[in-house]
Structure formats: C-alpha cells, structure tokens
Amino acid sequence: MSSRLLMSIPAAVLALSCGEDATGPGSSLCATQHGLEVCVDRPEYEPRESITVTSRNVSGARIFKDSCAVKPVGVTNLEVEFEASYNPTLHCGRGATRTDIIERMVELEPGDSTRETVTLPFFSFQGWYRVNVWLLDAEGNLAVDTPATSGIFQVFPSVGG
C-alpha cells in the first residue's frame, strides 16, 4: 500500500467519526420562530446562487411577512451570533417608506405559505448561513425585535469557471 493512501485513511476516519458530516454540523433546512416556519431548498450553495425560501404560518393567528428585508446572513464560526439587523431598503429601495413596506408585505393566514427567491451576493464568504425573515404588524411596524430564520446551510466557493 502506498504511503499516500495510508496517510489519507486516518484523515477520512477522523472526519467521518465525529457524528456529523465531513463539512460541518448537520441541521434541518427549516426553523420556526414567532409562529413562522422558514425553509431553504438546499443544504449547500455557491456565491451568486439563488435560494428558494418557503415561509409557512404555523401559528393560530394571521402573520404579516416583510418582503422588503428578507436576507441571507452568514458566519464563519457557529459560536458567533448571526446578524439580526432590520433593513427594509434591501428589496424596497433606499427611500423605502412605511407605505412601500405595507404594499409589499405578505399576509399569511394560519397554514398559508409563500415562496420567494433571494440571491447570494457575489462576495459571499465560505461559511454557515441562514435567511432572516422579519414579521410586521398590520400597520407595517416590526411585530418582534428578532427575525424568524431558516435552518442553517453552507456556502462554498465556486469550483467551476
């Protein structure tokens, strides 16, 4: 047996013996906060790829989802907090007003779901990500001070041309 093969066996055993996959912790692609289940469509992406985000009202009350501020956020270390800052100008423009936000918010009755696409930026770093989805009240104000989030997924640099 070649020494190169012998040296690679311990690395493979170590990577697969941790109870998780070789690239990082396993997790659900969905998470639920504030009565909203948020799911992404895949466990891995590359920069510039589109993410299909499905949001489903699992509460017993009507929910208003802000379409202006849906955002993928990432960390390079899972012991660090994910960003959770509200910014409705992301999808509604720099001069977004409360009227703009209300016009674009999505009303979800109990059991209803909605699907949208967000694109990872060109400059996305390698790491763990989730998608933040903000909830509003009927007047367009934040309903809670933290977002509902998707499950965690990973972003890897492109290996293609």
Side-chain angles (χ1 to χ4, degrees):
M1 209 179 274
S2 77
S3 62
R4 176 186 256 169
L5 179 60
L6 287 174
M7 290 177 63
S8 64
I9 292 173
V13 170
L14 179 63
L16 297 175
S17 66
C18 296
E20 299 171 344
D21 67 20
T23 59
S27 66
S28 172
L29 298 178
C30 301
T32 303
Q33 294 91 19
H34 314 303
L36 188 71
E37 177 187 61
V38 181
C39 301
V40 295
D41 60 326
R42 298 192 340 243
E44 296 177 358
Y45 299 89
E46 292 181 9
R48 298 184 310 262
E49 284 193 307
S50 295
I51 303 166
T52 300
V53 181
T54 303
S55 302
R56 185 169 59 99
N57 182 347
V58 295
S59 77
R62 183 172 43 171
I63 288 178
F64 298 94
K65 184 182 83 56
D66 186 341
S67 293
C68 293
V70 175
K71 179 182 179 182
V73 294
V75 296
T76 56
N77 177 347
L78 284 174
E79 294 183 16
V80 174
E81 292 290 321
F82 283 90
E83 174 192 330
S85 60
Y86 177 65
N87 182 1
T89 66
L90 288 171
H91 303 290
C92 288
R94 188 179 342 191
T97 64
R98 180 168 310 214
T99 302
D100 297 324
I101 294 166
I102 291 170
E103 286 175 359
R104 295 189 60 184
M105 71 182 180
V106 176
E107 181 178 347
L108 297 171
E109 293 293 335
D112 284 353
S113 65
T114 184
R115 180 175 277 174
E116 63 194 304
T117 302
V118 295
T119 303
L120 286 162
F122 172 77
F123 53 84
S124 297
F125 55 85
Q126 181 171 328
W128 291 271
Y129 285 72
R130 69 182 190 189
V131 175
N132 287 349
V133 177
W134 293 90
L135 300 179
L136 305 171
D137 64 19
E139 288 78 40
N141 302 305
L142 281 177
V144 290
D145 60 357
T146 58
T149 66
S150 71
I152 295 173
F153 57 93
Q154 292 184 286
V155 172
F156 292 102
S158 176
V159 293

